[in-house]
Amino acid sequence: VAIRARLGELNDQTRISLYGSVLAAALLLISLALFIARVRDATQAHARELEQAVARRTDQLRTITDQLRAVSDSVVDAIVISDTEGRIVDMNHAAVAMFGHELAAVRGQPVTIIVPERLRAAHLAGLQRARDSGSMTMAGKRVIVPAINKDGREFPVEIALSRWEAPGERGFT
């Protein structure tokens, strides 16, 4: 009887210990779930803050771009911007009027569409030299050269070349 009572006590103690372990594990899981929920909420709040910051920065860049476009379009001189491969990136209103090409139609096209055929090889060689060595023989100089418009009519233009750089981009104006 004494041994049986003693075994009964051990079983109760084991049972209580098991219940205690289960309770501890449950509390640990609840704590972990609460921690994960807090981290998720903080991550979502941070993501919202980042999205708002990006939206503000995008608006600022749009404003600056609009301002620069307004300045560029108010200039009476034609401005043609190309990338380092010689593809047209942008043109102001004066360039559109001078060359007769709509920007949407020429964006991405080679800038040689405004260079007479007989001068294209020299233009491409100069572009290659500028890409390879950074040397631009006409940089900082004002030179009169022939150009052609959309209709193929040749006329003289005074050019002044310059190089530009932006994060991840380079080109010529």
Side-chain angles (χ1 to χ4, degrees), residues 11 15 33 47 52 66-67 87 102 114 118 120 128 132 137 141-142 144 160-161 168 171:
N11 286 340
R15 206 173 19 244
Q52 291 169 351
D66 291 347
Q67 290 169 342
R87 292 181 302 258
E102 289 299 321
I114 60 173
R118 69 182 187 284
R120 288 181 184 169
Q128 186 65 45
D132 292 346
T137 57
K141 301 175 186 174
R142 297 182 80 77
I144 297 177
L161 293 175

Side-chain angles (χ1 to χ4, degrees), residues 42-56:
T43 301
Q44 288 174 342
H46 185 65
R48 281 190 300 274
E49 289 172 10
L50 287 174
E51 287 172 359
Q52 291 169 351
V54 167
R56 281 191 304 275

Side-chain angles (χ1 to χ4, degrees), residues 9-27:
E9 286 175 18
L10 286 176
N11 286 340
D12 285 345
Q13 287 175 349
T14 302
R15 206 173 19 244
I16 290 170
S17 178
L18 181 61
Y19 291 150
S21 296
V22 169
L23 180 60
L27 289 174

Side-chain angles (χ1 to χ4, degrees), residues 1-169:
V1 173
I3 292 174
R4 188 177 254 183
R6 189 78 175 131
L7 286 174
E9 286 175 18
L10 286 176
N11 286 340
D12 285 345
Q13 287 175 349
T14 302
R15 206 173 19 244
I16 290 170
S17 178
L18 181 61
Y19 291 150
S21 296
V22 169
L23 180 60
L27 289 174
L28 183 62
L29 287 174
I30 290 169
S31 296
L32 184 59
L34 290 172
F35 174 75
I36 290 170
R38 273 190 248 135
V39 168
R40 182 199 64 225
D41 292 347
T43 301
Q44 288 174 342
H46 185 65
R48 281 190 300 274
E49 289 172 10
L50 287 174
E51 287 172 359
Q52 291 169 351
V54 167
R56 281 191 304 275
R57 190 68 175 154
T58 300
D59 288 344
Q60 290 171 341
L61 290 172
R62 190 173 292 119
T63 298
I64 291 169
T65 301
D66 291 347
Q67 290 169 342
L68 290 173
R69 168 56 71 187
V71 168
S72 171
D73 284 340
S74 69
V75 175
V76 295
D77 291 330
I79 299 173
V80 178
I81 301 172
S82 74
D83 61 16
T84 56
E85 299 303 312
R87 292 181 302 258
I88 295 173
V89 174
D90 203 359
M91 296 170 76
N92 69 348
H93 287 316
V96 168
M98 178 182 286
F99 297 109
H101 296 284
E102 289 299 321
L103 176 58
V106 296
R107 185 174 273 140
Q109 296 295 313
V111 75
T112 54
I113 64 172
I114 60 173
V115 176
E117 183 70 41
R118 69 182 187 284
L119 300 175
R120 288 181 184 169
H123 172 81
L124 293 172
L127 180 65
Q128 186 65 45
R129 186 175 49 254
R131 274 196 306 263
D132 292 346
S133 69
S135 171
M136 292 176 44
T137 57
M138 294 174 61
K141 301 175 186 174
R142 297 182 80 77
V143 181
I144 297 177
V145 297
I148 57 171
N149 66 10
K150 183 179 179 180
D151 299 327
R153 184 178 61 84
E154 191 172 301
F155 57 96
V157 294
E158 182 180 26
I159 63 169
L161 293 175
S162 64
R163 179 187 302 269
W164 58 268
E165 275 192 52
E169 294 182 79

